[in-house]
Amino acid sequence: MKLGVVLPIANGAQILSKASEHPLPKWDFERELALKAEQFGFDYAFTQVTLRGWGGATKHWDYQIDSLTLMAAIGAVTSEIRLIGSVAIPAMHPAMAAKQCAAVSEISNGRFDLNLVSGWNKPQYAQMGLWPGDEYFATRYDYAEEYATILKELWTTGKSSFKGKYYQLDDCQLGLMPEKPINLICAGQSDRGLDFTAQYGDISYILGTGTGPEGVAQVVRRVEAACERAQRSVKALLVTLVVLAETDEEAQAKVDRYVEHADVEAIATMQREAGLDAAGSTAALLQNVGNATFQNLEKVVGSPETVAAYFDELAEIENLEGVIMVFDEALAGIEMFGREVMPRMRHRMKTSATS
């Protein structure tokens, strides 16, 4: 099972709490995280895209660094870890996205994949005059289908004259083409989102259900069902929050403290914006403060022994390719996981022994 880490490109990362860390996404910090992850043998480094924060007492996500620019820089200072950057469909034309991704792939020697974000968060795009209109809530995966088609045409043939409902290209030239394939990733959790990923993507980001490995297995089965409908196969990567401490009790105390000091103003803004997308699944997932504080991420909480055992259970789930981790303490979490969790993971030891 592959392991990845989220590089926090916005302050506060995935925890909306006054008790959690809020480092600014500065280059020195991001570089240190990426190099540390590569040192410990993580397989992936992932950056999301966000263009506007939720404010509140912590100014959550109000300070961001661009995903593709950061991945290009990370690609230049690393040599092995695979990089996953993100593009938001409303914010960038697919031809420009194809060109920039090809450049990152070149800089990283082909270690780059793209997370394609359909973009449900209206204020992020409306602030720039880029919101297509509220009908986009219902048609965003129609846009995504055309977008993905253009990306693949440009990456594989170097040109596109695609004519669709939303995008029209006329002998568009890519120029420098990627020498190695760029995988497409999507995090859609609705049936429509999963169907899009199964038809056009290579990797499906999934969220758990809060019920442990069995809940994760249920979501993987939803991905498998979508693949059956599309008659294609895609990999599933679980995105999860990891909270580590020396003991289970200490780790749970950290979680309790984050919830107790939740940034309720930022959470209210997040819930309000998610609620604009009536057809999506995000709003329903963020109804209680406990979920919303951690953006509904599956949580793995405990000592190194407990976390290692949990990951070994995940490794037994058929067709789960790996786990992308958010750490509540970014640098300390990577170091503790690398030093104290990885050596205790049975499936990781087997992988090391046979590689």
Side-chain angles (χ1 to χ4, degrees):
M1 186 173 72
K2 296 185 183 301
L3 301 175
V5 62
V6 174
L7 304 182
I9 58 93
N11 62 303
Q14 267 60 42
I15 304 179
L16 288 82
S17 174
K18 290 174 281 188
S20 60
E21 67 176 16
H22 294 271
L24 292 176
K26 301 289 237 175
W27 164 238
D28 287 345
F29 176 62
E30 304 289 347
R31 177 180 55 194
E32 183 177 16
L33 294 179
L35 290 173
K36 190 67 68 173
E38 184 169 70
Q39 174 190 331
F40 282 115
F42 282 87
D43 302 288
Y44 295 107
F46 165 63
T47 55
Q48 67 185 80
V49 58
T50 187
L51 304 167
R52 184 184 180 94
W54 287 314
T58 62
K59 300 184 184 299
H60 191 85
W61 282 8
D62 284 358
Y63 306 99
Q64 318 103 23
I65 191 169
D66 179 67
S67 174
L68 293 187
T69 306
L70 179 60
M71 288 289 93
I74 295 294
V77 299
T78 56
S79 58
E80 296 180 4
I81 194 167
R82 194 160 187 88
L83 309 176
I84 303 173
S86 298
V87 164
I89 287 174
M92 185 180 293
H93 191 278
M96 287 304 301
K99 184 174 284 289
Q100 290 192 26
C101 291
V104 181
S105 182
E106 170 65 22
I107 292 167
S108 64
N109 193 28
R111 292 180 289 118
F112 180 74
D113 296 326
L114 177 65
N115 174 45
L116 190 57
V117 179
S118 62
W120 58 263
N121 194 312
K122 177 180 177 179
Q124 292 204 14
Y125 313 108
Q127 67 178 346
M128 298 179 283
L130 294 176
W131 182 245
D134 285 357
E135 65 275 8
Y136 184 73
F137 287 124
T139 61
R140 56 195 173 106
Y141 284 111
D142 298 330
Y143 276 81
E145 289 177 353
E146 294 191 10
Y147 204 105
T149 300
I150 293 168
L151 289 176
K152 291 187 176 186
E153 283 187 2
L154 289 171
W155 287 338
T156 57
T157 71
K159 59 184 179 180
S160 176
S161 291
F162 180 86
K163 298 292 188 294
K165 182 177 180 179
Y166 307 107
Y167 301 102
Q168 297 81 39
L169 281 66
D170 183 13
D171 191 31
C172 181
Q173 305 287 321
L174 178 63
L176 187 66
M177 292 172 60
E179 295 182 1
K180 298 178 182 179
I182 298 174
N183 292 315
L184 273 185
I185 303 164
C186 184
Q189 303 299 299
S190 66
D191 289 340
R192 180 68 176 96
L194 290 175
D195 282 339
F196 165 76
T197 307
Q199 187 171 356
Y200 292 91
D202 303 289
I203 298 172
S204 176
Y205 275 163
I206 64 171
L207 304 177
T209 63
T211 57
E214 177 53 38
V216 175
Q218 291 174 5
V219 180
V220 172
R221 287 194 287 272
R222 289 185 62 215
V223 175
E224 293 170 342
C227 289
E228 288 180 8
R229 292 192 292 270
Q231 297 186 327
R232 292 183 70 242
S233 62
V234 302
K235 303 172 182 177
L237 285 175
L238 172 69
V239 182
T240 188
L241 172 71
V242 176
V243 180
L244 275 164
E246 292 300 325
T247 68
D248 292 349
E249 292 75 18
E250 290 172 335
Q252 185 58 50
K254 291 171 70 178
V255 171
D256 295 341
R257 186 166 67 254
Y258 296 146
V259 175
E260 179 184 356
H261 297 283
D263 188 340
V264 293
E265 183 181 350
I267 288 172
T269 302
M270 176 180 65
Q271 291 173 324
R272 182 171 61 252
E273 293 178 3
L276 294 173
D277 182 13
S281 60
T282 304
L285 297 173
L286 296 173
Q287 289 306 305
N288 68 71
V289 172
N291 281 345
T293 300
F294 307 104
Q295 297 188 45
N296 200 54
L297 287 178
E298 184 87 3
K299 294 187 291 295
V300 185
V301 181
S303 66
E305 294 85 358
T306 296
V307 172
Y310 189 95
F311 272 73
D312 281 330
E313 287 188 65
L314 292 177
E316 299 300 321
I317 299 174
E318 188 174 359
N319 294 329
L320 180 64
E321 175 76 4
V323 182
I324 305 292
M325 285 167 269
V326 179
F327 291 102
D328 64 317
E329 298 175 275
L331 182 57
I334 290 173
E335 291 180 331
M336 191 171 188
F337 194 94
R339 290 197 177 104
E340 300 188 40
V341 178
M342 283 186 178
R344 291 179 164 92
M345 295 165 63
R346 294 191 308 275
H347 83 276
R348 199 70 177 179
M349 290 187 286
K350 290 178 183 177
T351 301
S352 299
T354 56
S355 60

